[in-house]
Amino acid sequence: MARLEHIAQQRLEKLERIRGQGIDPYPHSYHRSHTTQEAVALYQQIESNPKTINPEFSLAGRTTAIRFMGKIAFFDIRDGSGKIQLHFSHDLLGKNKYELLREIDIGDFIGAKGKLFRTKTGEITLEVNDFTLLAKSIQPLPEKWHGLVDVEKRYRQRYLDLISNADVEPVFRLRSQIILALRRFLNEQGFIEVETPVLQSVAGGALARRFKTHHQALDQELYLRIALELYLKRLIIGGFDKVYEIGRVFRNEGISTRHNPEFTMVEIYQAYADYNDMMKLAEDMVCYIAKEVAGKTEVKFGEEIINLEPPWQRIYLREAIKERCGIDFEDYPDAKSLRMSMEKSGLEVDPHKDRGRLVDELINTFVEPSLIQPTFLVDYPVEMSPLAKRKRDNDRLVERFEAFIGGMEIANAFTELN
């Protein structure tokens, strides 16, 4: 029998013994008075005022460590706020209750009641006078709580990643705070948040392979949206001046740590504005979110310190490409001549790509990785954005920008055609 199967079998046997004592190992609910960290904070206040009565606490969480020392035992439990130590005494609990502790494994959820005290080592601990098994875990935690290291499994089974790696949960909380700050910024700017259809008869707004499904009642082929764009534009037509949507989009393409078939994006539309207005909106929005969430506009990314304070640098796309690889795309008005120039520079070029896609390849290869500080690349060839308005002094270019931070594209916008 494999090791994990053996552990699971042992736990099933414990489960039967627990049930044999008339104990429900999966009760419907449990009343806790505080989270672990609320209890710790309250006890610290009690310590600072000796006249304050030390109340009884009722805490609950997942067991993450177990240490038996004869007639006493120490458990660690963790809830959504943090960790706390529990102290069990044979004398306080009695023989039967104390022996029940032997049936508890790491990964089991328990509730415990008692008063807090501070151990000789200075750790705030709950002196348990009663406890309840809340959920018996049959499968052991991965890596015995030393961390889940398989990257593939971490991304596919996020719940295991959250259990095993303490640095993951703050990322989830940070994302939630970022979205809250994003909404607050846009709402304060007079934008209205809307929800638009996910199932669409025409999946437009981007170049991507679609997910297709069939609507039985309508006997019609429908697609999961690949962008939020089309219905937001219709709302502008309908009379809203400022709208936005934070929503899921679906693209039936490759998978990596930087690309997922479904992901969240925000699209923002504003009447009477051009790409200069949207650049200002974008840099102000990112700066606002950083201040709200991190309390500062300088953030560490790898070995770099990134300054998000506006104004961000604005670089003409033509100059950025020419400076980094020596190719001036304005000298090559068609795909064939541009492809020949790229091949002379040592690039392997797809012969089927048009001029716009070739320029995009130059951006991805030479420009994007170097844009660590917040940067707007502006004024793109018309082949790359045929639905954007032409640049006012050069009809071969359009008023489009892409924003980059940390060598990654974070935004794309242009002055829309009417």
Side-chain angles (χ1 to χ4, degrees), residues 114-401:
K115 293 189 175 184
L116 289 172
F117 73 101
R118 197 178 285 273
T119 64
K120 292 180 180 179
T121 60
E123 185 170 358
I124 295 176
T125 301
L126 187 73
E127 178 72 53
V128 180
N129 59 41
D130 192 19
F131 70 91
T132 304
L133 176 62
L134 302 179
K136 182 67 183 168
S137 173
I138 305 304
Q139 298 296 329
L141 297 180
E143 300 289 319
K144 294 184 179 178
W145 200 255
H146 293 307
L148 183 66
V149 295
D150 186 308
V151 175
E152 178 85 5
K153 184 168 284 190
R154 289 186 65 183
Y155 278 93
R156 289 187 178 275
Q157 296 175 278
R158 276 299 199 185
Y159 56 95
L160 292 180
D161 195 20
L162 284 163
I163 292 171
S164 302
N165 298 300
D167 59 339
V168 175
E169 183 183 333
V171 176
F172 278 70
R173 296 187 181 277
L174 184 64
R175 181 184 186 276
S176 177
Q177 293 168 11
I178 289 171
I179 292 174
L180 284 173
L182 168 64
R183 280 195 169 99
R184 189 158 52 244
F185 173 84
L186 291 173
N187 292 344
E188 289 174 357
Q189 297 295 315
F191 286 86
I192 296 174
E193 183 177 10
V194 297
E195 288 185 340
T196 62
V198 174
L199 288 174
Q200 301 181 353
S201 58
V202 177
L207 291 174
R209 189 177 293 114
R210 306 160 297 178
F211 285 98
K212 183 169 68 173
T213 187
H214 185 78
H215 194 298
Q216 298 296 334
L218 298 177
D219 191 24
Q220 180 182 359
E221 298 297 314
L222 294 175
Y223 305 93
L224 294 177
R225 64 188 179 189
I226 58 175
L228 309 176
E229 177 177 333
L230 298 182
Y231 285 91
L232 292 174
K233 286 183 173 179
R234 293 175 186 178
L235 289 170
I236 294 291
I237 293 170
F240 288 105
D241 291 341
K242 295 181 175 182
V243 295
Y244 75 96
E245 180 175 7
I246 302 170
R248 303 293 280 182
V249 296
F250 307 85
R251 299 181 180 181
N252 196 0
E253 297 177 340
I255 301 175
S256 73
T257 56
R258 293 180 64 173
H259 295 88
N260 205 46
E262 62 170 299
F263 58 94
T264 301
M265 70 186 303
V266 57
E267 288 205 26
I268 305 165
Y269 288 85
Q270 179 176 343
Y272 317 116
D274 65 8
Y275 75 149
N276 292 303
D277 299 304
M278 300 310 285
M279 277 188 271
K280 185 175 189 318
L281 179 75
E283 63 189 2
D284 288 347
M285 180 173 65
V286 171
C287 180
Y288 175 93
I289 292 171
K291 288 179 179 177
E292 287 288 301
V293 175
K296 57 185 179 180
T297 56
E298 288 192 345
V299 295
K300 194 172 190 303
F301 181 76
E303 299 301 316
E304 302 286 343
I305 300 297
I306 294 177
N307 186 357
L308 301 172
E309 193 74 38
W312 297 355
Q313 62 178 337
R314 288 150 169 77
I315 302 176
Y316 292 113
L317 176 63
R318 178 185 181 185
E319 295 176 1
I321 294 175
K322 185 176 180 180
E323 179 182 313
R324 288 162 176 80
C325 68
I327 296 176
D328 185 348
F329 61 75
E330 286 282 79
D331 291 341
Y332 306 99
D334 54 65
K336 181 179 179 181
S337 60
L338 180 56
R339 186 181 302 112
M340 291 176 61
S341 177
M342 292 170 67
E343 289 171 344
K344 287 180 181 178
S345 298
L347 293 175
E348 292 186 13
V349 184
D350 185 343
H352 301 294
K353 285 186 175 181
D354 59 23
R355 185 172 181 267
R357 289 183 177 272
L358 292 175
V359 174
D360 193 47
E361 186 171 331
L362 290 173
I363 298 170
N364 295 336
T365 304
F366 296 106
V367 182
E368 182 172 340
S370 68
L371 300 179
I372 305 302
Q373 295 300 322
T375 303
F376 292 115
L377 286 183
V378 301
D379 299 344
Y380 281 58
V382 68
E383 294 92 338
M384 296 183 72
S385 301
L387 299 180
K389 283 190 174 179
R390 303 294 177 99
K391 187 168 171 58
R392 279 159 258 204
D393 57 357
N394 186 343
D395 64 3
R396 296 188 304 277
L397 304 176
V398 295
E399 294 190 346
R400 175 186 173 186
F401 74 79

Side-chain angles (χ1 to χ4, degrees), residues 102-118:
R102 302 285 182 181
E103 308 293 356
I104 295 176
D105 296 295
I106 290 176
D108 293 356
F109 284 83
I110 63 173
K113 295 179 180 180
K115 293 189 175 184
L116 289 172
F117 73 101
R118 197 178 285 273

Side-chain angles (χ1 to χ4, degrees), residues 10-23 100 102-103:
Q10 288 181 324
R11 294 190 175 201
L12 286 170
E13 291 169 1
K14 288 184 176 183
L15 181 63
E16 289 307 308
R17 290 197 295 269
I18 292 168
R19 284 180 167 147
Q21 298 180 47
I23 298 171
L100 181 60
R102 302 285 182 181
E103 308 293 356

